[in-house]
Amino acid sequence: MRREFTNGRNLCHPGVTRFATNFLSLQSFVLMKNELRQMFRLETGSLSTWIDKDQGNSFKKTKSVGRIAMTVAVNVSRFEAITMAPPDPILGISEAFKADTDAKKLNLGVGAYRTEELQPYVLNVVKKAEKLMLDKGENKEYLPIEGLAAFNKVTADLLFGSENPLIKQQKIATVQGLSGTGSLRLAAALIERYFPGAKVLISSPSWGNHKNIFNDARVPWSEYRYYDPKTVGLDFEGMVADIKEAPEGSFVLLHGCAHNPTGIDPTPDQWEKIADVIQEKNHIPFFDVAYQGFASGSLDADAASVRLFAARGTELLVAQSYSKNLGLYAERIGAINVVCTSADAAARVKSQLKRIARPMHSNPPIHGARIVANIVGDPTLFNEWKVEMEMMAGRIKNVRQKLFDSLSAKDKSGKDWSFILKQIGMFSFTGLSRAQSDNMSNKWHVYMTKDGRISLAGLSLAKCEYLADAIMDSYHNWQFILSSMSSYWQ
């Protein structure tokens, strides 16, 4: 497009030509914006310009004598003030792994189960449950806001025990959520609305999304001590002290089993003492249960901490997820459970959870809920599931043992690596620093989170020797380099 500007003679300003050539490129236009403004502030005699609306010319009509200012309409985005968000740390690891072409590469960042061949695994029992669903020809109608009734029943039974009097007395409000994240988010909204100003205590460290969830719900939080880097174990005394010092009536976020990211759980005796302190301070325990049955291979053992608090008559919240133990990562299936002191209170809490869910996601998806209901509700499928869970948990235990054996055999420094065997679940805190973790990725093509966490579910027995070599180099050699550099700069 080209427009000639007339002032008694034909004139094609070279800057106008350049602008016209790039007119269709918004990026070029924005870059030239300031130059254009100066270019059109011309001292001329008489000048008339016009706009041809049909052709979409962006020169507005301006008539003047003497000093002329020709105006250009600039299409600046209304979203100009929105900055680029930082990449998600876990998903960023996966992207870096995909871009790496080295044959020895390992992705130990994402918490997803892999086979010994390091391939995704769909449980056989899930395939059977899905076939049953197809054979029944069930429809895809909307679920109620609280979710599938059959799912809500079996998920509460699974967590608290089917014979638990709390269930029979209808003192538990259960609402289906969008996996663990969505269930936590529903609970966070409930806290913000009905416990204004109450603080949530989060372990240090914790799953990276915990803080995001409470920030988004505008719920204040603080951290309590959990991980002791000196022992690569639990800082139990620090944990108890911080819970004691928290304002009365705080919510204490606890990992039911297989703490993420450390893999470090309290012992049964320590759980009893934690419960004592929480009751003394009139706090409200808030459990995140993402690995029931997947941590130890036993559904009952992995729910012991939750059942301990419930048996004491404590009101509590529990978010559940079936991403790991049934491999339903993409189905987004979970639940939020609120244990109350009366059936009336539970009914009111459930009504408000539904009220919160309605504008948030309206109602949850049905496919994953039916899978869980069919498996847990059918004795044959349920037993098959337990066998598969034991197999998955067993493979991770074998990998954990093999890694420990490899590290112990290779390390001649006398360092004790037994903390790896004391951890449980799919994750292990290696004790590696950020710089050492970077060395793992940059030199050895082992991708992991920068806090030193690795996912043993993404490791095979065949790769344990290679991983041990990478850890040895990163821990000892890189530690020596850092120490030398520190001494040099001093």
Side-chain angles (χ1 to χ4, degrees):
M1 181 193 71
R2 174 170 169 173
R3 170 76 67 186
E4 292 188 350
F5 296 86
T6 305
N7 185 19
R9 66 183 186 278
N10 289 335
L11 172 66
C12 181
H13 194 286
V16 176
T17 303
R18 183 166 69 252
F19 167 70
T21 303
N22 295 282
F23 179 74
L24 296 179
S25 170
L26 177 59
Q27 183 178 9
S28 298
F29 175 70
V30 172
L31 291 172
M32 294 169 63
K33 180 172 61 178
N34 292 332
E35 181 183 353
L36 284 165
R37 285 174 176 167
Q38 295 298 322
M39 181 181 67
F40 289 124
R41 298 184 188 278
L42 306 173
E43 291 290 347
T44 68
S46 174
L47 178 65
S48 296
T49 63
W50 57 89
I51 181 169
D52 184 346
K53 294 182 180 179
D54 293 337
Q55 297 300 321
N57 193 335
S58 68
F59 292 112
K60 294 182 178 179
K61 183 176 180 181
T62 305
K63 290 185 179 180
S64 181
V65 177
R67 184 177 180 86
I68 303 301
M70 297 176 63
T71 307
V72 177
V74 180
N75 293 324
V76 178
S77 172
R78 301 289 182 90
F79 306 103
E80 196 70 27
I82 296 179
T83 59
M84 182 66 71
D88 183 90
I90 301 297
L91 298 181
I93 293 171
S94 295
E95 292 302 316
F97 172 79
K98 290 177 183 177
D100 193 331
T101 58
D102 193 281
K104 301 184 295 295
K105 66 180 182 178
L106 273 174
N107 187 356
L108 305 183
V110 179
Y113 182 80
R114 296 290 182 261
T115 65
E116 181 62 23
E117 295 72 37
L118 302 183
Q119 296 300 310
Y121 178 64
V122 179
L123 277 68
N124 292 322
V125 71
V126 169
K127 295 176 183 178
K128 290 182 179 181
E130 288 184 312
K131 186 178 184 303
L132 286 174
M133 290 162 57
L134 290 174
D135 292 343
K136 291 179 182 179
E138 294 176 306
N139 61 47
K140 301 291 185 181
E141 290 293 304
Y142 288 122
L143 283 177
I145 300 172
E146 67 266 31
L148 185 68
F151 165 78
N152 288 343
K153 179 184 183 305
V154 299
T155 196
D157 288 348
L158 195 71
L159 182 61
F160 297 99
S162 58
E163 299 303 315
N164 194 309
L166 292 170
I167 294 176
K168 296 181 178 181
Q169 296 164 10
Q170 298 182 328
K171 293 181 179 179
I172 303 175
T174 302
V175 171
Q176 183 183 334
L178 303 184
S179 197
T181 303
S183 301
L184 287 162
R185 184 63 179 80
L186 280 174
L190 185 76
I191 293 171
E192 190 277 334
R193 187 170 296 185
Y194 293 101
F195 299 85
K199 181 180 289 187
V200 174
L201 307 182
I202 302 174
S203 68
S204 177
S206 191
W207 177 48
N209 218 17
H210 278 148
K211 295 175 183 177
N212 296 335
I213 289 167
F214 293 107
N215 283 338
D216 193 59
R218 294 179 173 82
V219 174
W221 56 267
S222 63
E223 295 181 302
Y224 60 85
R225 283 170 284 177
Y226 194 87
Y227 173 69
D228 183 355
K230 294 180 181 177
T231 63
V232 196
L234 177 65
D235 182 0
F236 180 68
E237 298 302 324
M239 177 185 183
V240 170
D242 289 347
I243 292 174
K244 279 185 177 180
E245 291 175 7
E248 183 173 337
S250 297
F251 289 80
V252 183
L253 188 63
L254 303 163
H255 298 229
C257 62
H259 183 274
N260 181 3
T262 67
I264 302 163
D265 286 353
T267 65
D269 287 343
Q270 288 172 334
W271 273 121
E272 292 281 1
K273 293 176 182 177
I274 292 168
D276 289 340
V277 174
I278 287 177
Q279 284 187 306
E280 288 169 10
K281 291 288 296 187
N282 199 30
H283 295 327
I284 302 176
F286 185 174
F287 281 92
D288 185 357
V289 178
Y291 308 99
Q292 187 183 358
F294 190 73
S296 68
S298 168
L299 289 164
D300 292 328
D302 291 346
S305 59
V306 173
R307 294 177 185 179
L308 164 68
F309 280 77
R312 288 185 171 215
T314 306
E315 291 188 305
L316 66 150
L317 290 77
V318 189
Q320 289 172 277
S321 168
Y322 289 91
S323 293
K324 305 299 191 298
N325 55 12
L326 270 169
L328 299 177
Y329 304 100
E331 300 298 347
R332 314 312 297 146
I333 177 65
I336 180 66
N337 305 266
V338 183
V339 178
C340 304
T341 55
S342 69
D344 177 64
R348 286 184 276 111
V349 168
K350 185 173 183 176
S351 73
Q352 292 300 333
L353 285 171
K354 289 165 61 177
R355 185 181 179 187
I356 291 168
R358 176 60 171 152
M360 192 177 290
H361 59 253
S362 194
N363 49 7
I366 196 169
H367 191 79
R370 280 179 175 160
I371 291 174
V372 175
N374 287 344
I375 291 173
V376 182
D378 182 281
T380 301
L381 293 180
F382 183 60
N383 288 329
E384 288 185 29
W385 178 37
K386 289 194 289 186
V387 170
E388 282 198 84
M389 267 193 300
E390 289 174 6
M391 178 274 294
M392 292 190 292
R395 194 190 84 74
I396 294 173
K397 289 178 183 177
N398 290 338
V399 167
R400 187 183 290 278
Q401 182 67 53
K402 175 69 173 175
L403 178 60
F404 165 74
D405 292 341
S406 299
L407 287 169
S408 298
K410 293 175 183 294
D411 194 348
K412 306 304 181 183
S413 70
K415 178 176 173 57
D416 183 7
W417 292 95
S418 62
F419 63 84
I420 290 177
L421 297 180
K422 297 175 183 177
Q423 299 166 353
I424 189 173
M426 67 194 307
F427 297 119
S428 175
F429 238 38
T430 61
L432 295 179
S433 67
R434 182 183 183 89
Q436 292 165 339
S437 299
D438 285 338
N439 186 64
M440 293 281 286
S441 302
N442 298 336
K443 180 178 178 180
W444 291 88
H445 308 276
V446 176
Y447 293 88
M448 56 193 289
T449 57
K450 300 305 180 184
D451 55 8
R453 187 201 80 175
I454 59 174
S455 172
L456 295 177
L459 179 64
S460 64
L461 290 171
K463 293 282 189 178
C464 283
E465 290 284 340
Y466 178 75
L467 178 60
D469 287 335
I471 293 175
M472 285 292 97
D473 175 70
S474 300
Y475 182 79
H476 290 297
N477 297 340
W478 193 248
Q479 190 175 45
F480 174 76
I481 292 171
L482 289 176
S483 176
S484 300
M485 290 175 63
S486 177
S487 299
Y488 174 81
W489 287 110
Q490 287 178 355

